[in-house]
Amino acid sequence: MSTRFHCLEDFRTEARSRLPRLMFDFIDGAAGSEYAACKNIETLDRIRLLPRVLVNVAERSLKKTFLGKEWGLPFGIAPMGMCDLAWAGTDKALAKAAVQHNIPLCHSIAASSSLEVTLDRARVNAWFQLYVGASLERAWEHVKRAQDAGYEVLILTVDVPQVAQRIRDLRNGFKVPFRTGPRQFLDFAQHPRWVLETLMAGVPRTANFDDTNPAALYGTASNGFIREETRGKVDWTFLQQLRDRWTGKLIVKGVLAPQDASRIQEAGADAIYVSNHGGRQLDSAPPAVTQLPLIREAVGTDYPLLFDSGIRNGESVVKALALGADFVMLGRPFLFASGAYGERGVMRLVELLTDEVSLTLAQLGCKSVEELERNMIIEN
Ligand SMILES: Cc1cc2nc3c(=O)[nH]c(=O)nc-3n(C[C@H](O)[C@H](O)[C@H](O)COP(=O)(O)O)c2cc1C
């Protein structure tokens, strides 16, 4: 295993040099001035943990029970569309890591692999994530397809009524329809290895849609995936209908308001996924971590909560768990790891986070992640 990567920033730096700017910025970027994305990380960094001593912590367990299953680690892989843009084979590498480490992998409806292929690769570790686009009919088709394929967990993402303005993407020309003008051509020419490997693997497409236009990274045909189309039709009625139809576990992702959390809980969702989409949607949104304890308070101690947005190391995983999350997800870090070093990078990232969580537990006098509590956080 490579020892070149000692923290997330090592992966990010390497990915920045290996990826065309268009792709790196698509992953790294966020909405507007990117204030929300920065604040997610900064707020987590500023939270202080209180070390405890004289507890025998020679043996520590990172196993975590969530939604009726025991997981190998308390963190997993957030849903992300078009992961193979980070590096050819990323979806496959993520599935491999999910199985090897027994962690959940959220398969985005906008993924580069089909939902059936991901399920085949990651089996019970794969969860299906749904966006509701302009056609409700098509959303129901995807729900049925996921159910028929055998998915046991569905995540309904509700914080993208419309894709936000991401300034870097606009400047770089990352938009629908995707075109290679002189600017993008120069960018690709400066990153021949990414281009070669991507072309050899086949230009990434949104495989859950009938995207038959090979020149487009995002489908523009009427039956393809249209990134810019409205996703604003998803509402309380849809949630209730989905709850009635989906027989597996149902998670609602992208929740920040305690009032919404209570209503989603009442609607019968099995879990809530607290997130501000990594700052990619509302630049003025609060850091997701500041909403976490408020939502925990609103839904009570036993209701399952997931968390993401801004997690960049094991200490932050521990902080989120102590603040009320039952499980923690990471987005961009997995794409940086793959962009930097492919499958080995993804494996190294999981190893790094595992070590960091374990070391943090030891410092806090905990033998298990199940022992983490709010009083381990220093309030100031
Ligand atoms: C490149 C990229 C694509 C994403 N695509 C999706 C998606 O298809 N569905 C979704 O629910 N969230 C998507 N997200 C948001 C992530 O699931 C997650 O909420 C976010 O990345 C967490 O913040 P972090 O990157 O700081 O860990 C995407 C994020 C990134 C970076």
Side-chain angles (χ1 to χ4, degrees):
M1 189 59 80
S2 166
T3 50
R4 270 193 302 147
F5 302 102
H6 304 288
C7 64
L8 201 265
E9 198 49 37
D10 291 345
F11 287 117
R12 186 172 171 275
T13 306
E14 182 74 4
R16 190 202 277 269
S17 76
R18 277 171 38 114
L19 264 65
R21 185 168 181 171
L22 187 70
M23 303 312 167
F24 179 81
D25 281 349
F26 164 64
I27 297 165
D28 193 51
S33 70
E34 305 192 354
Y35 187 82
C38 291
K39 277 281 163 191
N40 280 337
I41 300 172
E42 194 191 301
T43 309
L44 276 158
D45 283 346
R46 288 170 73 98
I47 293 170
R48 302 288 89 197
L49 292 165
L50 186 63
R52 298 298 300 268
V53 297
L54 291 170
V55 181
N56 181 344
V57 287
E59 302 285 331
R60 299 181 295 277
S61 168
L62 270 60
K63 291 199 172 80
K64 183 86 188 164
T65 300
F66 186 68
L67 292 184
K69 176 170 159 40
E70 188 181 77
W71 302 94
L73 296 166
F75 57 84
I77 305 164
M80 285 176 290
M82 301 299 289
C83 291
D84 285 5
L85 289 180
W87 204 263
T90 299
D91 269 354
K92 201 171 171 186
L94 295 176
K96 195 168 170 185
V99 172
Q100 198 159 310
H101 295 277
N102 187 21
I103 58 174
L105 162 66
C106 305
H107 172 90
S108 164
I109 191 169
S112 332
S113 311
S114 73
L115 62 94
E116 290 84 4
V117 165
T118 298
L119 190 68
D120 196 45
R121 288 173 180 156
R123 300 184 289 274
V124 290
N125 297 64
W127 297 349
F128 175 67
Q129 178 263 319
L130 176 75
Y131 275 131
V132 178
S135 161
L136 292 184
E137 212 172 287
R138 191 198 274 170
W140 290 120
E141 279 167 21
H142 276 112
V143 171
K144 182 168 181 327
R145 207 173 128 190
Q147 193 125 29
D148 291 348
Y151 276 88
E152 292 171 8
V153 179
L154 185 146
I155 302 168
L156 174 68
T157 298
V158 293
D159 60 356
V160 187
Q162 197 79 49
V163 172
Q165 299 263 30
R166 304 196 184 134
I167 307 299
R168 290 199 234 179
D169 288 350
L170 294 173
R171 285 195 183 127
N172 294 335
F174 188 100
K175 58 180 179 165
V176 177
F178 182 81
R179 284 194 209 99
T180 310
R183 188 189 168 119
Q184 291 82 12
F185 190 80
L186 195 69
D187 190 12
F188 287 143
Q190 286 165 345
H191 299 90
R193 188 149 171 222
W194 180 93
V195 173
L196 207 66
E197 294 212 16
T198 299
L199 288 179
M200 276 183 348
V203 175
R205 41 186 289 267
T206 46
N208 288 317
F209 293 80
D210 181 15
D211 174 6
T212 46
N213 176 4
L217 286 172
Y218 282 100
T220 55
S222 61
N223 52 353
F225 177 72
I226 302 168
R227 186 173 176 241
E228 310 296 338
E229 78 177 6
T230 184
R231 299 179 203 171
K233 287 188 179 174
V234 67
D235 59 8
W236 294 105
T237 307
F238 183 89
L239 176 61
Q240 205 56 67
Q241 289 168 347
L242 182 62
R243 179 62 295 179
D244 294 343
R245 287 201 208 180
W246 179 258
T247 52
K249 302 281 187 198
L250 176 62
I251 301 172
V252 180
K253 174 173 186 276
V255 181
L256 293 172
Q259 305 91 308
D260 287 341
S262 300
R263 194 162 166 198
I264 290 166
Q265 182 184 23
E266 279 163 28
D270 295 289
I272 288 171
Y273 190 144
V274 179
S275 166
N276 68 10
H277 216 95
R280 291 166 80 83
Q281 279 303 112
L282 181 66
D283 196 24
S284 300
V289 71
T290 58
Q291 298 309 105
L292 179 58
L294 305 177
I295 291 183
R296 170 52 71 207
E297 214 175 294
V299 297
T301 46
D302 296 330
Y303 188 77
L305 287 183
L306 285 133
F307 174 83
D308 81 18
S309 295
I311 301 284
R312 296 293 178 268
N313 53 53
E315 288 193 15
S316 288
V317 172
V318 167
K319 289 170 185 175
L321 292 170
L323 282 167
D326 295 297
F327 217 87
V328 178
M329 298 300 204
L330 297 92
R332 295 179 185 88
F334 280 101
L335 299 189
F336 294 147
S338 182
Y341 201 41
E343 182 185 303
R344 284 172 296 181
V346 172
M347 295 299 174
R348 173 70 185 136
L349 174 64
V350 177
E351 183 188 87
L352 202 64
L353 290 167
T354 303
D355 289 348
E356 289 171 355
V357 171
S358 180
L359 283 168
T360 311
L361 285 186
Q363 291 289 321
L364 298 184
C366 291
K367 292 181 170 73
S368 158
V369 284
E370 306 277 9
E371 290 172 28
L372 292 168
E373 285 178 358
R374 178 79 180 267
N375 65 13
M376 294 166 180
I377 303 271
I378 300 180
E379 310 279 353
N380 48 21

